[in-house]
Amino acid sequence: DISEYFSRTADTALTIGVSATFRNLSSIHQAYTQAQKAVAAKSRAGSGKIIDYMEISGLSTETPALSIADITEIIGSLVGGEERQVKLAVNKYFDSLENRIVDLQIVRSSITELTTAALQRVFSNSYTLQLVFGRNIRPASDIQELSTTAEIRTYTLAFFERILLNVQCMKSLQISLKQYSPIVNDAIAYITANYAKDIKIANVAAQLHISESRLMHLFKHETGKTFNNFLAEYRVRLAETIMKSGHYKIYEISDLVGYKNPITFRKAFYKIVGSIPSKYKQQGAPDELS
């Protein structure tokens, strides 16, 4: 209507450039720039037309979402500690968003689903999760506060870097519940849920309705480690991860992973890692998920 009215009134053809659709007023400059580019294309599109920026740029308005297969693949690589594969998969998704007018809410929803599934798969309880990240983390609300795909990509990569550090620290334990009997699985589950407490094998055996000697035999036979050695290594490997967060002092970490005596923790850490906690902590600069 505007074009026709202008042509009749001014006796001149009016060329109109139209940008993509933006939902926020803060994007008005970007919309204006796109409309200008559309108008500038009149030399090849022809004067007196309405020129769509999306059409002349060959851009797609459809924002891809991560599929269930994509999420399953990324989490599988995550659990296996395959850092390169995780980063490749995450970057592949965000690269697919380039040259598109992105619906940010679709991206937020996809990454929220991915990160939530990862936390459920890797962490047995919220206490451990908070220790590993150094704070109470809520991906759903954190991601909603991010306003660009670049910010979401950075958040996602940092998020998985933190989890991968924990997975890699724990890898020597080779916890694969499929290979163990139900009794040993239950004993390991007890350790991962209660490592911060004073755990005695006699108490665990009583809870599992099995003799202490039988539990000791099964645990050693199936995992290759004694119950107490497994517990100590679990605590120390978790302590490795916590140190990297930069949020806790060593004596605090000692208590958080179940060692009420810092000297006992220091000895256990040195025996398993080969370095005293203070030196180990200095080796890596603290990093934060922001």
PDB file of all heavy atoms in Angstrom, residues 172-173 191 201 216 219-220 223-237 259 268 271-272:
ATOM      1  N   SER A 172      40.415 -43.224  36.712  1.00  0.00           N
ATOM      2  CA  SER A 172      41.248 -44.330  37.214  1.00  0.00           C
ATOM      3  C   SER A 172      40.449 -45.314  38.053  1.00  0.00           C
ATOM      4  O   SER A 172      40.832 -46.463  38.232  1.00  0.00           O
ATOM      5  CB  SER A 172      42.413 -43.780  38.044  1.00  0.00           C
ATOM      6  OG  SER A 172      41.919 -43.108  39.185  1.00  0.00           O
ATOM      7  N   LEU A 173      39.301 -44.850  38.579  1.00  0.00           N
ATOM      8  CA  LEU A 173      38.452 -45.746  39.375  1.00  0.00           C
ATOM      9  C   LEU A 173      37.712 -46.744  38.491  1.00  0.00           C
ATOM     10  O   LEU A 173      37.284 -47.796  38.950  1.00  0.00           O
ATOM     11  CB  LEU A 173      37.436 -44.934  40.177  1.00  0.00           C
ATOM     12  CG  LEU A 173      38.004 -44.148  41.353  1.00  0.00           C
ATOM     13  CD1 LEU A 173      36.969 -43.179  41.882  1.00  0.00           C
ATOM     14  CD2 LEU A 173      38.444 -45.089  42.456  1.00  0.00           C
ATOM     15  N   ILE A 191      29.132 -45.308  48.653  1.00  0.00           N
ATOM     16  CA  ILE A 191      30.324 -44.459  48.736  1.00  0.00           C
ATOM     17  C   ILE A 191      30.096 -43.122  48.049  1.00  0.00           C
ATOM     18  O   ILE A 191      30.388 -42.063  48.604  1.00  0.00           O
ATOM     19  CB  ILE A 191      31.545 -45.176  48.100  1.00  0.00           C
ATOM     20  CG1 ILE A 191      32.017 -46.328  49.000  1.00  0.00           C
ATOM     21  CG2 ILE A 191      32.696 -44.181  47.867  1.00  0.00           C
ATOM     22  CD1 ILE A 191      33.116 -47.180  48.398  1.00  0.00           C
ATOM     23  N   ILE A 201      33.186 -49.958  56.682  1.00  0.00           N
ATOM     24  CA  ILE A 201      32.717 -51.073  55.862  1.00  0.00           C
ATOM     25  C   ILE A 201      31.712 -51.942  56.612  1.00  0.00           C
ATOM     26  O   ILE A 201      30.794 -52.504  56.016  1.00  0.00           O
ATOM     27  CB  ILE A 201      33.899 -51.925  55.346  1.00  0.00           C
ATOM     28  CG1 ILE A 201      33.394 -52.921  54.280  1.00  0.00           C
ATOM     29  CG2 ILE A 201      34.616 -52.616  56.484  1.00  0.00           C
ATOM     30  CD1 ILE A 201      34.502 -53.621  53.543  1.00  0.00           C
ATOM     31  N   MET A 216      33.958 -57.491  51.677  1.00  0.00           N
ATOM     32  CA  MET A 216      35.369 -57.207  51.400  1.00  0.00           C
ATOM     33  C   MET A 216      35.879 -58.075  50.262  1.00  0.00           C
ATOM     34  O   MET A 216      36.573 -57.605  49.363  1.00  0.00           O
ATOM     35  CB  MET A 216      36.212 -57.428  52.663  1.00  0.00           C
ATOM     36  CG  MET A 216      35.977 -56.398  53.756  1.00  0.00           C
ATOM     37  SD  MET A 216      36.818 -56.827  55.311  1.00  0.00           S
ATOM     38  CE  MET A 216      38.533 -56.749  54.801  1.00  0.00           C
ATOM     39  N   PHE A 219      34.163 -57.069  46.839  1.00  0.00           N
ATOM     40  CA  PHE A 219      34.633 -55.762  46.395  1.00  0.00           C
ATOM     41  C   PHE A 219      36.034 -55.852  45.801  1.00  0.00           C
ATOM     42  O   PHE A 219      36.298 -55.317  44.716  1.00  0.00           O
ATOM     43  CB  PHE A 219      34.615 -54.776  47.558  1.00  0.00           C
ATOM     44  CG  PHE A 219      34.492 -53.343  47.129  1.00  0.00           C
ATOM     45  CD1 PHE A 219      33.253 -52.717  47.094  1.00  0.00           C
ATOM     46  CD2 PHE A 219      35.608 -52.613  46.738  1.00  0.00           C
ATOM     47  CE1 PHE A 219      33.120 -51.397  46.680  1.00  0.00           C
ATOM     48  CE2 PHE A 219      35.494 -51.301  46.319  1.00  0.00           C
ATOM     49  CZ  PHE A 219      34.239 -50.689  46.288  1.00  0.00           C
ATOM     50  N   LYS A 220      36.912 -56.542  46.505  1.00  0.00           N
ATOM     51  CA  LYS A 220      38.288 -56.692  46.031  1.00  0.00           C
ATOM     52  C   LYS A 220      38.331 -57.518  44.748  1.00  0.00           C
ATOM     53  O   LYS A 220      39.047 -57.192  43.789  1.00  0.00           O
ATOM     54  CB  LYS A 220      39.131 -57.364  47.121  1.00  0.00           C
ATOM     55  CG  LYS A 220      40.549 -57.746  46.698  1.00  0.00           C
ATOM     56  CD  LYS A 220      41.430 -56.530  46.470  1.00  0.00           C
ATOM     57  CE  LYS A 220      42.872 -56.955  46.217  1.00  0.00           C
ATOM     58  NZ  LYS A 220      43.765 -55.818  45.934  1.00  0.00           N
ATOM     59  N   THR A 223      36.452 -55.206  41.759  1.00  0.00           N
ATOM     60  CA  THR A 223      37.014 -53.894  41.407  1.00  0.00           C
ATOM     61  C   THR A 223      38.534 -53.884  41.365  1.00  0.00           C
ATOM     62  O   THR A 223      39.139 -52.978  40.798  1.00  0.00           O
ATOM     63  CB  THR A 223      36.570 -52.812  42.406  1.00  0.00           C
ATOM     64  OG1 THR A 223      37.185 -53.061  43.685  1.00  0.00           O
ATOM     65  CG2 THR A 223      35.054 -52.802  42.566  1.00  0.00           C
ATOM     66  N   GLY A 224      39.148 -54.888  41.998  1.00  0.00           N
ATOM     67  CA  GLY A 224      40.602 -54.920  42.060  1.00  0.00           C
ATOM     68  C   GLY A 224      41.155 -54.034  43.157  1.00  0.00           C
ATOM     69  O   GLY A 224      42.369 -53.886  43.300  1.00  0.00           O
ATOM     70  N   LYS A 225      40.270 -53.428  43.947  1.00  0.00           N
ATOM     71  CA  LYS A 225      40.681 -52.552  45.040  1.00  0.00           C
ATOM     72  C   LYS A 225      39.962 -52.965  46.316  1.00  0.00           C
ATOM     73  O   LYS A 225      38.840 -53.465  46.255  1.00  0.00           O
ATOM     74  CB  LYS A 225      40.333 -51.082  44.728  1.00  0.00           C
ATOM     75  CG  LYS A 225      40.820 -50.555  43.388  1.00  0.00           C
ATOM     76  CD  LYS A 225      40.268 -49.171  43.122  1.00  0.00           C
ATOM     77  CE  LYS A 225      40.543 -48.735  41.677  1.00  0.00           C
ATOM     78  NZ  LYS A 225      41.953 -48.417  41.454  1.00  0.00           N
ATOM     79  N   THR A 226      40.605 -52.714  47.447  1.00  0.00           N
ATOM     80  CA  THR A 226      39.896 -52.953  48.698  1.00  0.00           C
ATOM     81  C   THR A 226      38.839 -51.858  48.860  1.00  0.00           C
ATOM     82  O   THR A 226      38.919 -50.799  48.219  1.00  0.00           O
ATOM     83  CB  THR A 226      40.844 -52.903  49.905  1.00  0.00           C
ATOM     84  OG1 THR A 226      41.332 -51.558  50.068  1.00  0.00           O
ATOM     85  CG2 THR A 226      42.016 -53.866  49.729  1.00  0.00           C
ATOM     86  N   PHE A 227      37.878 -52.112  49.709  1.00  0.00           N
ATOM     87  CA  PHE A 227      36.818 -51.120  49.947  1.00  0.00           C
ATOM     88  C   PHE A 227      37.418 -49.804  50.413  1.00  0.00           C
ATOM     89  O   PHE A 227      37.072 -48.731  49.915  1.00  0.00           O
ATOM     90  CB  PHE A 227      35.838 -51.660  50.991  1.00  0.00           C
ATOM     91  CG  PHE A 227      34.715 -50.719  51.317  1.00  0.00           C
ATOM     92  CD1 PHE A 227      33.516 -50.772  50.616  1.00  0.00           C
ATOM     93  CD2 PHE A 227      34.840 -49.766  52.325  1.00  0.00           C
ATOM     94  CE1 PHE A 227      32.471 -49.890  50.898  1.00  0.00           C
ATOM     95  CE2 PHE A 227      33.806 -48.895  52.628  1.00  0.00           C
ATOM     96  CZ  PHE A 227      32.616 -48.956  51.907  1.00  0.00           C
ATOM     97  N   ASN A 228      38.332 -49.861  51.375  1.00  0.00           N
ATOM     98  CA  ASN A 228      38.927 -48.640  51.934  1.00  0.00           C
ATOM     99  C   ASN A 228      39.794 -47.906  50.916  1.00  0.00           C
ATOM    100  O   ASN A 228      39.817 -46.668  50.882  1.00  0.00           O
ATOM    101  CB  ASN A 228      39.745 -48.966  53.182  1.00  0.00           C
ATOM    102  CG  ASN A 228      38.862 -49.312  54.371  1.00  0.00           C
ATOM    103  OD1 ASN A 228      37.722 -48.845  54.463  1.00  0.00           O
ATOM    104  ND2 ASN A 228      39.360 -50.134  55.271  1.00  0.00           N
ATOM    105  N   ASN A 229      40.514 -48.673  50.073  1.00  0.00           N
ATOM    106  CA  ASN A 229      41.327 -48.028  49.037  1.00  0.00           C
ATOM    107  C   ASN A 229      40.455 -47.330  48.001  1.00  0.00           C
ATOM    108  O   ASN A 229      40.779 -46.244  47.528  1.00  0.00           O
ATOM    109  CB  ASN A 229      42.225 -49.059  48.348  1.00  0.00           C
ATOM    110  CG  ASN A 229      43.402 -49.463  49.218  1.00  0.00           C
ATOM    111  OD1 ASN A 229      43.718 -48.788  50.194  1.00  0.00           O
ATOM    112  ND2 ASN A 229      44.044 -50.570  48.882  1.00  0.00           N
ATOM    113  N   PHE A 230      39.358 -47.989  47.656  1.00  0.00           N
ATOM    114  CA  PHE A 230      38.426 -47.399  46.693  1.00  0.00           C
ATOM    115  C   PHE A 230      37.835 -46.112  47.257  1.00  0.00           C
ATOM    116  O   PHE A 230      37.745 -45.096  46.566  1.00  0.00           O
ATOM    117  CB  PHE A 230      37.308 -48.395  46.372  1.00  0.00           C
ATOM    118  CG  PHE A 230      36.392 -47.961  45.253  1.00  0.00           C
ATOM    119  CD1 PHE A 230      36.582 -48.419  43.962  1.00  0.00           C
ATOM    120  CD2 PHE A 230      35.338 -47.082  45.502  1.00  0.00           C
ATOM    121  CE1 PHE A 230      35.739 -48.018  42.926  1.00  0.00           C
ATOM    122  CE2 PHE A 230      34.500 -46.674  44.483  1.00  0.00           C
ATOM    123  CZ  PHE A 230      34.700 -47.146  43.190  1.00  0.00           C
ATOM    124  N   LEU A 231      37.434 -46.148  48.516  1.00  0.00           N
ATOM    125  CA  LEU A 231      36.865 -44.976  49.180  1.00  0.00           C
ATOM    126  C   LEU A 231      37.877 -43.838  49.202  1.00  0.00           C
ATOM    127  O   LEU A 231      37.548 -42.685  48.887  1.00  0.00           O
ATOM    128  CB  LEU A 231      36.444 -45.333  50.606  1.00  0.00           C
ATOM    129  CG  LEU A 231      36.014 -44.184  51.514  1.00  0.00           C
ATOM    130  CD1 LEU A 231      34.797 -43.457  50.933  1.00  0.00           C
ATOM    131  CD2 LEU A 231      35.707 -44.702  52.925  1.00  0.00           C
ATOM    132  N   ALA A 232      39.122 -44.149  49.567  1.00  0.00           N
ATOM    133  CA  ALA A 232      40.161 -43.122  49.642  1.00  0.00           C
ATOM    134  C   ALA A 232      40.421 -42.507  48.269  1.00  0.00           C
ATOM    135  O   ALA A 232      40.534 -41.286  48.128  1.00  0.00           O
ATOM    136  CB  ALA A 232      41.454 -43.725  50.195  1.00  0.00           C
ATOM    137  N   GLU A 233      40.480 -43.365  47.244  1.00  0.00           N
ATOM    138  CA  GLU A 233      40.754 -42.843  45.903  1.00  0.00           C
ATOM    139  C   GLU A 233      39.584 -42.014  45.389  1.00  0.00           C
ATOM    140  O   GLU A 233      39.783 -40.994  44.733  1.00  0.00           O
ATOM    141  CB  GLU A 233      41.047 -43.997  44.936  1.00  0.00           C
ATOM    142  CG  GLU A 233      41.559 -43.492  43.595  1.00  0.00           C
ATOM    143  CD  GLU A 233      42.175 -44.576  42.735  1.00  0.00           C
ATOM    144  OE1 GLU A 233      42.365 -45.707  43.222  1.00  0.00           O
ATOM    145  OE2 GLU A 233      42.442 -44.280  41.560  1.00  0.00           O
ATOM    146  N   TYR A 234      38.369 -42.434  45.708  1.00  0.00           N
ATOM    147  CA  TYR A 234      37.201 -41.653  45.288  1.00  0.00           C
ATOM    148  C   TYR A 234      37.259 -40.261  45.905  1.00  0.00           C
ATOM    149  O   TYR A 234      37.039 -39.253  45.234  1.00  0.00           O
ATOM    150  CB  TYR A 234      35.908 -42.355  45.692  1.00  0.00           C
ATOM    151  CG  TYR A 234      34.669 -41.685  45.149  1.00  0.00           C
ATOM    152  CD1 TYR A 234      34.182 -42.018  43.887  1.00  0.00           C
ATOM    153  CD2 TYR A 234      34.007 -40.692  45.871  1.00  0.00           C
ATOM    154  CE1 TYR A 234      33.072 -41.380  43.361  1.00  0.00           C
ATOM    155  CE2 TYR A 234      32.897 -40.048  45.350  1.00  0.00           C
ATOM    156  CZ  TYR A 234      32.425 -40.401  44.095  1.00  0.00           C
ATOM    157  OH  TYR A 234      31.335 -39.760  43.575  1.00  0.00           O
ATOM    158  N   ARG A 235      37.551 -40.208  47.187  1.00  0.00           N
ATOM    159  CA  ARG A 235      37.624 -38.918  47.884  1.00  0.00           C
ATOM    160  C   ARG A 235      38.728 -38.033  47.315  1.00  0.00           C
ATOM    161  O   ARG A 235      38.532 -36.830  47.083  1.00  0.00           O
ATOM    162  CB  ARG A 235      37.878 -39.160  49.377  1.00  0.00           C
ATOM    163  CG  ARG A 235      36.654 -39.658  50.137  1.00  0.00           C
ATOM    164  CD  ARG A 235      37.034 -40.137  51.527  1.00  0.00           C
ATOM    165  NE  ARG A 235      35.863 -40.266  52.390  1.00  0.00           N
ATOM    166  CZ  ARG A 235      35.895 -40.874  53.578  1.00  0.00           C
ATOM    167  NH1 ARG A 235      37.032 -41.401  54.029  1.00  0.00           N
ATOM    168  NH2 ARG A 235      34.792 -40.941  54.307  1.00  0.00           N
ATOM    169  N   VAL A 236      39.884 -38.613  47.053  1.00  0.00           N
ATOM    170  CA  VAL A 236      41.026 -37.838  46.558  1.00  0.00           C
ATOM    171  C   VAL A 236      40.784 -37.360  45.132  1.00  0.00           C
ATOM    172  O   VAL A 236      41.097 -36.211  44.794  1.00  0.00           O
ATOM    173  CB  VAL A 236      42.318 -38.677  46.648  1.00  0.00           C
ATOM    174  CG1 VAL A 236      43.448 -38.029  45.843  1.00  0.00           C
ATOM    175  CG2 VAL A 236      42.741 -38.837  48.100  1.00  0.00           C
ATOM    176  N   ARG A 237      40.221 -38.222  44.283  1.00  0.00           N
ATOM    177  CA  ARG A 237      39.962 -37.809  42.898  1.00  0.00           C
ATOM    178  C   ARG A 237      38.931 -36.686  42.859  1.00  0.00           C
ATOM    179  O   ARG A 237      39.027 -35.774  42.038  1.00  0.00           O
ATOM    180  CB  ARG A 237      39.482 -39.005  42.072  1.00  0.00           C
ATOM    181  CG  ARG A 237      40.517 -40.106  41.882  1.00  0.00           C
ATOM    182  CD  ARG A 237      41.788 -39.583  41.271  1.00  0.00           C
ATOM    183  NE  ARG A 237      42.789 -40.624  41.104  1.00  0.00           N
ATOM    184  CZ  ARG A 237      44.053 -40.418  40.755  1.00  0.00           C
ATOM    185  NH1 ARG A 237      44.477 -39.175  40.561  1.00  0.00           N
ATOM    186  NH2 ARG A 237      44.895 -41.419  40.616  1.00  0.00           N
ATOM    187  N   TYR A 259      37.527 -36.153  55.002  1.00  0.00           N
ATOM    188  CA  TYR A 259      38.699 -36.257  55.865  1.00  0.00           C
ATOM    189  C   TYR A 259      38.635 -35.156  56.913  1.00  0.00           C
ATOM    190  O   TYR A 259      38.876 -33.982  56.614  1.00  0.00           O
ATOM    191  CB  TYR A 259      39.991 -36.120  55.058  1.00  0.00           C
ATOM    192  CG  TYR A 259      40.331 -37.342  54.230  1.00  0.00           C
ATOM    193  CD1 TYR A 259      40.047 -37.367  52.862  1.00  0.00           C
ATOM    194  CD2 TYR A 259      40.915 -38.463  54.799  1.00  0.00           C
ATOM    195  CE1 TYR A 259      40.347 -38.480  52.093  1.00  0.00           C
ATOM    196  CE2 TYR A 259      41.224 -39.582  54.039  1.00  0.00           C
ATOM    197  CZ  TYR A 259      40.934 -39.588  52.690  1.00  0.00           C
ATOM    198  OH  TYR A 259      41.231 -40.696  51.935  1.00  0.00           O
ATOM    199  N   ALA A 268      46.899 -39.203  52.230  1.00  0.00           N
ATOM    200  CA  ALA A 268      46.131 -39.958  51.239  1.00  0.00           C
ATOM    201  C   ALA A 268      46.295 -39.341  49.857  1.00  0.00           C
ATOM    202  O   ALA A 268      46.448 -40.054  48.847  1.00  0.00           O
ATOM    203  CB  ALA A 268      44.658 -39.995  51.636  1.00  0.00           C
ATOM    204  N   LYS A 271      49.769 -40.106  48.439  1.00  0.00           N
ATOM    205  CA  LYS A 271      49.891 -41.520  48.071  1.00  0.00           C
ATOM    206  C   LYS A 271      49.224 -41.813  46.721  1.00  0.00           C
ATOM    207  O   LYS A 271      49.744 -42.592  45.916  1.00  0.00           O
ATOM    208  CB  LYS A 271      49.254 -42.395  49.157  1.00  0.00           C
ATOM    209  CG  LYS A 271      49.366 -43.894  48.889  1.00  0.00           C
ATOM    210  CD  LYS A 271      48.757 -44.685  50.029  1.00  0.00           C
ATOM    211  CE  LYS A 271      48.857 -46.189  49.763  1.00  0.00           C
ATOM    212  NZ  LYS A 271      48.257 -46.981  50.868  1.00  0.00           N
ATOM    213  N   ILE A 272      48.102 -41.177  46.456  1.00  0.00           N
ATOM    214  CA  ILE A 272      47.334 -41.464  45.236  1.00  0.00           C
ATOM    215  C   ILE A 272      47.747 -40.590  44.062  1.00  0.00           C
ATOM    216  O   ILE A 272      47.880 -41.056  42.932  1.00  0.00           O
ATOM    217  CB  ILE A 272      45.817 -41.310  45.517  1.00  0.00           C
ATOM    218  CG1 ILE A 272      45.380 -42.403  46.489  1.00  0.00           C
ATOM    219  CG2 ILE A 272      44.990 -41.357  44.240  1.00  0.00           C
ATOM    220  CD1 ILE A 272      44.003 -42.199  47.099  1.00  0.00           C
TER     221      ILE A 272
END
